[in-house]
Amino acid sequence: MNAPESQCHLENTAMPFTPFPEWTWDVPEYFNIGVACTDAHMDTPDRIAMIVEDDALGTTTATYRDLAIASSRFAQLLRYLDVRLEDRVLIRLPNSLAYPTAFFGAMKRGAIAVPTSTLLTAEEVLYLAKDSGATVLVTDKAMWRGLKDKLTGLDSLKHVLLTGPGEVESAERLNVLDLEAELAKIETFSQPHKSRSHDPAYLVYTSGTTGYPKGVLHAHRAMIGRTPAADYWFDFAPEGDRILHSGKFNWTYVLGSGLMDPLFRGKTVIVHEGKNDADGWIKLMAKHQATIFIGVPTIYRQIIQKTAFTGTDVPSLRHCMSAGEHLSDEMLGLWKDRFGIEIYEAVGMSEISYYLSENKHRPIRPGSAGFPQPGHGVKLLDPETLAEVPTGEEGMICIPQGDPGLFMQYWNLPEETDKAFKGGWFLTGDYARLDEDGYLWFLGRKDDIINSFGYRVSPHEIERVMKTHPDVADCAATGEELSADKVLVTAYVVLQAGATADADALLNFAKDHLAAYKAPKIVYLVSDYPRTKNGKIIRKQLNPTIALSRSN
């Protein structure tokens, strides 16, 4: 299989590279994420741990002392409520200081934290509460109003802890409390639970692109499993970093890179709650002297397209990171031209967070997923034989079962868990190919790969190229089955505001920039895509009914 065309556009990529150093995992017998991200930094208790910019409530801050005490009080409150070890604490909160209080506090009690999205409907919250068997729900008073009469048939749920302004509204059969008032009553608290590294810590749910969401249970060792990212995706300075993340804590990507990772290293986290505004991100960076910015490609595109800011407006900024989907070559170049900084991308999943990434030790190759971070032992294997595939050929990304960053199990799904592991490997289900220089080129799920006239085409490669067209704001590629043996490569395109390109012009652009078997044969113009609650495109729902216009 030929190497991707994007390799023709590289600069400063002299080979060979110096190999990454060997990585030795240091996983202690006892480890608690809640302690490691709060109490462990009491040697610098007055350092700012977190800044929250809320459009409605203004700016609030917490020091490491504040977080340590608040989370310990939360753990003590759970003891008073007779919450047992490994009971589940469902967290449905906006970005706020209450979030780390509940998340870390639950783990300091020895309970299992269950972060969930504020965008979920009441029915979806009900499903997650039932599936997790949550004993406690932590949410804010505004959200509670839409939930309290719909949480029926939940035998396990006993307590509801409410945050934010307003009155506490009771509910039948449930013990509903004002969290801030209850924490204020607690003057002394017990030592945190002495968790072992392999004890369960938190339970996240997949985006639910098909069927019901699937619970993914992580151990406390997952924090150790993400430590290679500190050197091979982040660019932490010895002192003083301030990290601004544009996302919500409920998403695994943000939970790790925007909360746990920075606090584990004693850094300052900056988050926003409110309307997404392109100007606002740059203003927040400048106001709080952010040194690292983490976002999704959409945020970077909005800043470039909707603002005139440059690097001189954010002199503190020195490192940018992205995940969720590939940034186009054009956007990477525009960002560097405007801000003088590269954007380093990563690939991850709920089961192991981010484990592939670009890094400052190697030149960026646009479109590539970069490299496996040292320690993760990633191989591209034939999933049937577990034989490693040759360089340049497509294989499934597999991770050694002993990787401390790997999840423990799928919640209440033992058969699914067993299927995910084979011969000492975790089979991610994602496919990639490795080039001769060691770069990984991510192809995606088997179901996403387009089989057209005997060719196997990665939608990610098509999308990356189509996004280089100046009129294209976003692109999602899939296959359209016209008959049993006829599948055409199809692109669903969102145009820039005021763009004049039509579908025919985009088809011609694709012919000029992609191999004939990869170039879309159909282009649909759309206003947006069907998405999960976390904003990921649901490819299986891409169909002509969402089109504004088409060409073929």
Side-chain angles (χ1 to χ4, degrees):
M1 186 176 291
N2 292 331
E5 287 83 356
S6 57
Q7 292 187 33
C8 300
H9 306 293
L10 306 178
E11 298 177 2
N12 303 319
T13 55
M15 301 296 169
F17 293 126
T18 301
F20 289 135
E22 291 293 321
W23 186 274
T24 302
W25 291 111
D26 181 14
V27 182
E29 180 181 359
Y30 293 95
F31 186 82
N32 184 292
I33 291 175
V35 173
C37 293
T38 61
D39 301 47
H41 302 292
M42 289 301 283
D43 57 333
T44 55
D46 296 324
R47 178 180 296 169
I48 298 297
M50 190 167 171
I51 301 170
V52 180
E53 285 279 0
D54 189 302
D55 288 352
L57 302 176
T59 306
T60 53
T61 63
T63 64
Y64 274 95
R65 179 190 285 109
D66 295 333
L67 278 191
I69 293 173
S71 55
S72 289
R73 284 176 171 165
F74 187 90
Q76 191 65 31
L77 176 59
L78 295 185
R79 294 186 187 96
Y80 291 158
L81 297 175
D82 198 30
V83 173
R84 309 296 179 87
L85 298 181
E86 299 187 14
D87 278 358
R88 275 72 66 202
V89 177
L90 191 73
I91 302 169
R92 187 178 189 242
L93 291 170
N95 282 352
S96 61
L97 295 180
Y99 206 108
T101 296
F103 183 68
F104 295 132
M107 290 186 282
K108 288 168 81 169
R109 169 65 190 103
I112 298 172
V114 187
T116 63
S117 173
T118 58
L119 300 177
L120 298 179
T121 64
E123 290 74 17
E124 290 169 312
V125 175
L126 178 63
Y127 172 80
L128 297 187
K130 281 183 177 179
D131 189 67
S132 66
T135 301
V136 179
L137 168 65
V138 188
T139 190
D140 79 352
K141 292 165 187 172
M143 295 177 192
W144 175 237
R145 293 185 197 105
L147 283 175
K148 65 185 183 70
D149 296 327
K150 299 178 181 178
L151 297 181
T152 58
L154 294 176
D155 296 335
S156 61
L157 188 64
K158 297 178 173 61
H159 310 285
V160 177
L161 305 177
L162 299 180
T163 70
E167 298 297 319
V168 171
E169 298 183 21
S170 61
E172 186 178 351
R173 198 190 60 79
L174 294 171
N175 177 34
V176 185
L177 300 170
D178 186 295
L179 178 59
E180 186 174 344
E182 294 303 314
L183 294 182
K185 297 175 185 177
I186 298 172
E187 297 182 357
T188 60
F189 37 80
S190 303
Q191 290 295 311
H193 177 66
K194 194 175 182 181
S195 302
R196 283 184 160 82
S197 295
H198 60 264
D199 287 343
Y202 62 96
L203 175 66
V204 296
Y205 278 83
T206 59
S207 299
T209 54
T210 59
Y212 290 106
K214 183 163 56 178
V216 180
L217 182 64
H218 279 279
H220 287 275
R221 56 176 163 76
M223 184 76 252
I224 305 296
R226 280 194 300 275
T227 53
D231 295 324
Y232 295 96
W233 187 32
F234 284 94
D235 183 36
F236 287 135
E239 295 289 340
D241 269 326
R242 292 181 161 221
I243 295 92
L244 172 62
H245 205 304
S246 67
K248 304 290 186 184
F249 287 141
N250 61 272
W251 191 11
T252 310
Y253 169 33
V254 189
L255 196 67
S257 62
L259 185 68
M260 287 189 281
D261 290 334
L263 294 185
F264 182 53
R265 299 277 172 170
K267 309 302 181 183
T268 298
V269 171
I270 309 161
V271 291
H272 173 254
E273 180 61 36
K275 183 181 178 182
N276 175 23
D277 177 70
D279 280 5
W281 297 117
I282 300 297
K283 291 175 181 176
L284 281 180
M285 292 181 214
K287 177 179 178 180
H288 296 294
Q289 297 182 304
T291 58
I292 297 174
F293 179 61
I294 311 175
V296 294
T298 299
I299 297 295
Y300 287 104
R301 286 196 293 269
Q302 288 175 348
I303 292 171
I304 289 295
Q305 294 165 3
K306 297 182 179 181
T307 81
F309 290 116
T310 68
T312 59
D313 297 299
V314 280
S316 61
L317 187 66
R318 60 177 179 76
H319 190 70
C320 291
M321 300 154 62
S322 179
E325 60 176 309
H326 281 310
L327 276 164
S328 69
D329 299 16
E330 180 193 31
M331 194 54 57
L332 286 167
L334 289 172
W335 187 269
K336 187 171 183 181
D337 289 344
R338 289 259 297 269
F339 291 91
I341 301 171
E342 300 276 14
I343 302 173
Y344 295 88
E345 299 186 72
V347 172
M349 58 193 309
S350 298
E351 290 85 346
I352 191 173
S353 196
Y354 28 81
Y355 62 101
L356 309 174
S357 63
E358 296 164 339
N359 58 73
K360 298 190 78 170
H361 307 284
R362 304 279 173 86
I364 290 176
R365 290 191 171 181
S368 166
F371 303 87
Q373 294 165 1
H376 289 306
V378 171
K379 298 289 185 184
L380 300 186
L381 305 180
D382 179 318
E384 299 300 323
T385 66
L386 298 184
E388 191 167 3
V389 301
T391 298
E393 293 192 11
E394 173 189 313
M396 184 184 286
I397 301 172
C398 297
I399 302 164
Q401 192 165 350
D403 190 311
L406 273 176
F407 74 120
M408 300 176 68
Q409 64 188 55
Y410 292 118
W411 187 254
N412 293 333
L413 295 170
E415 293 182 359
E416 287 290 311
T417 303
D418 289 342
K419 284 196 305 184
F421 292 93
K422 182 178 179 181
W425 294 92
F426 167 58
L427 280 59
T428 67
D430 287 325
Y431 285 75
R433 57 178 176 262
L434 189 72
D435 71 21
E436 61 185 7
D437 299 320
Y439 286 81
L440 271 173
W441 298 85
F442 191 74
L443 300 174
R445 310 297 290 183
K446 196 83 168 181
D447 291 346
D448 290 344
I449 294 173
I450 305 164
N451 292 284
S452 180
F453 299 103
Y455 292 100
R456 295 172 56 76
V457 182
S458 166
H460 303 283
E461 189 172 351
I462 297 167
E463 292 159 6
R464 181 186 61 77
V465 171
M466 293 300 289
K467 289 175 189 177
T468 64
H469 190 290
D471 281 357
V472 173
D474 209 347
C475 175
T478 187
E480 183 171 328
E481 186 173 352
L482 301 187
S483 62
D485 59 351
K486 188 176 183 181
V487 175
L488 298 184
V489 178
T490 304
Y492 290 78
V493 173
V494 177
L495 292 177
Q496 305 277 15
T500 58
D502 59 15
D504 286 328
L506 296 175
L507 283 175
N508 290 330
F509 177 83
K511 291 176 184 177
D512 291 340
H513 292 83
L514 285 163
Y517 70 92
K518 300 177 187 176
K521 305 302 184 289
I522 302 174
V523 168
Y524 294 107
L525 301 183
V526 299
S527 60
D528 200 0
Y529 307 109
R531 297 180 184 271
T532 67
K533 299 295 184 181
N534 285 334
K536 293 182 180 178
I537 296 172
I538 307 174
R539 292 182 185 277
K540 290 187 176 180
Q541 293 184 18
L542 293 174
N543 61 71
T545 64
I546 68 171
L548 302 173
S549 64
R550 62 171 287 177
S551 178
N552 64 353

